[in-house]
Amino acid sequence: MQRRALARAALAAALLPRFAIAQSYPSRPIRYVVPVAAGGGADMIGRTVTELWGRQLNQTFVVENISGGGGVVACQNILQAKPDGYALLQGYVATHGTNPATRKVSYDPVRDFTPIGLIGATPNVLVVNTAVPAKNVQEFVDFVKRNPGKISYGTAGQGSLTHLTMELFKQQTGAFMVHIPYRGIAPAIIDLLAGQTQAMFPGLAAALPHLRAGKMRALAITGKTRSPQLPDVPTLEELGFRNFDAMQWYGCVGPAGMPADVVKRLNDTLNTVLKAPELAEKFAGEAVDPQPMTPEQFGQYIRSEIARWGALAKARNIHLDD
């Protein structure tokens, strides 16, 4: 009896520090790493979310921009942090989707992280230069097939979501287009507008100003539903394409091994923020739709994204380490 009592006491002592952390969390500012340079859409999303999130937690978030390697540098930084909830990463489709699918990265996107929750997502939109004589997707596919090797598409870089989405489109249509990778989406759009390339799959937020100005034409978008920003533009899914629910998404993860109670507190408060009208209004400028999830749902979402893009990369022989 005495031995069992001692064992229970030892177990309680071992659990006490973790329980105490969960009960008092957060007691100091939380470092929130955004894996891109300051000033862009992803940075705005991180700063908007953390401002409102901090109010829910009655604590300050300190946003830190760590760019490099398509998010790899930021991921490595977070993996060196204690899994106590005071260091979080804004993971996104590159860090936990397309990069692990197309190249060797110095982390495991599943085992090395604790999923907190999805923040939101925005569709990609199939656009063409206005000189392209196509008003819908079928006309565009016919146009490409009539001009083999003469049509090119721009992307934000090898292995980016803009690249893989077009490769998925090519796979399902059998249409051949020449890939022109750029260092970022902005120069790719400039060349599309100038007629140097004919098509691309930018994020909706990047395309909207040019679509509204009539400088490019939208043929279809990714996602399960039409965008309120482009209500007359069909989704590729409704046109009969498969697996085109793919989106540019943003979420929050921490180092592996975070206490379950801390994860729950973070997820509960994050999901409250995502339902706030104030956040939806600010996200509308980036065409981002808030999407609350449980940690378990978000973890499964990450695994499905890696599987989706990994299968495509294998089928299209896209291996960026070669």
Side-chain angles (χ1 to χ4, degrees):
M1 291 290 291
Q2 186 178 9
R3 193 175 302 160
R4 282 200 292 270
L6 288 172
R8 284 197 297 270
L11 178 61
L15 292 176
L16 183 59
R18 175 162 288 197
F19 178 75
I21 289 173
Q23 289 296 98
S24 63
Y25 177 85
S27 60
R28 65 178 189 271
I30 300 168
R31 190 165 68 97
Y32 187 85
V33 174
V34 176
V36 297
D43 181 51
M44 183 282 292
I45 289 166
R47 292 178 187 276
T48 299
V49 167
T50 54
E51 179 185 355
L52 300 177
W53 204 355
R55 296 180 200 170
Q56 288 290 321
L57 290 167
N58 196 29
Q59 190 53 262
T60 302
F61 278 83
V62 179
V63 176
E64 184 177 349
N65 297 89
I66 302 178
S67 59
V72 171
V73 177
C75 287
Q76 291 172 329
N77 181 280
I78 286 296
L79 295 187
Q80 295 170 6
K82 291 182 179 179
D84 55 7
Y86 290 98
L88 304 175
L89 171 73
Q90 184 169 283
Y92 70 118
V93 66
T95 58
H96 289 73
T98 58
N99 278 353
T102 58
R103 68 193 80 192
K104 293 178 181 177
V105 292
S106 55
Y107 59 88
D108 187 296
V110 175
R111 288 199 307 268
D112 290 342
F113 296 90
T114 299
I116 305 298
L118 185 64
I119 293 172
T122 184
N124 284 56
V125 54
L126 174 59
V127 299
V128 295
N129 177 276
T130 54
V132 172
K135 300 298 189 293
N136 57 54
V137 171
Q138 188 56 57
E139 289 180 2
F140 176 62
V141 172
D142 292 341
F143 171 72
V144 173
K145 289 183 175 181
R146 288 197 306 270
N147 295 275
K150 297 179 181 179
I151 308 303
S152 60
Y153 72 96
T155 70
Q158 293 272 10
S160 66
L161 181 64
T162 55
H163 176 204
L164 295 183
T165 306
M166 188 63 88
E167 286 299 314
L168 182 60
F169 181 81
K170 289 165 60 179
Q171 181 188 53
Q172 294 196 23
T173 60
F176 174 75
M177 288 177 275
V178 178
H179 177 208
I180 310 294
Y182 292 81
R183 298 187 67 176
I185 199 66
I189 286 178
I190 289 172
D191 270 9
L192 176 77
L193 298 178
Q196 299 300 314
T197 59
Q198 288 71 50
M200 64 184 302
F201 256 112
L204 181 54
L208 272 176
H210 309 290
L211 291 169
R212 288 168 176 163
K215 295 181 178 179
M216 62 172 66
R217 184 182 306 123
L219 302 183
I221 64 168
T222 65
K224 293 183 180 296
T225 60
R226 294 193 183 197
S227 168
Q229 309 270 19
L230 297 174
D232 297 327
V233 177
T235 68
L236 285 152
E237 293 262 319
E238 70 182 90
L239 295 177
F241 289 79
R242 303 179 308 281
N243 294 323
F244 266 95
D245 56 337
M247 306 278 276
Q248 171 77 41
W249 58 263
Y250 308 89
C252 180
V253 298
M258 287 177 58
D261 286 353
V262 170
V263 173
K264 184 178 188 308
R265 177 150 169 72
L266 284 167
N267 179 261
D268 287 347
T269 49
L270 172 60
N271 288 344
T272 297
V273 166
L274 296 180
K275 295 171 185 174
E278 182 181 353
L279 181 117
E281 182 180 341
K282 291 185 177 181
F283 271 17
E286 290 297 321
V288 173
D289 179 29
Q291 296 188 14
M293 283 187 181
T294 66
E296 294 75 21
Q297 288 170 333
F298 184 41
Q300 180 54 45
Y301 184 80
I302 289 172
R303 290 189 288 272
S304 67
E305 284 289 278
I306 295 167
R308 173 209 301 273
W309 299 121
L312 178 69
K314 183 176 181 180
R316 304 297 289 180
N317 196 29
I318 302 171
H319 303 288
L320 304 185
D321 297 305
D322 296 344

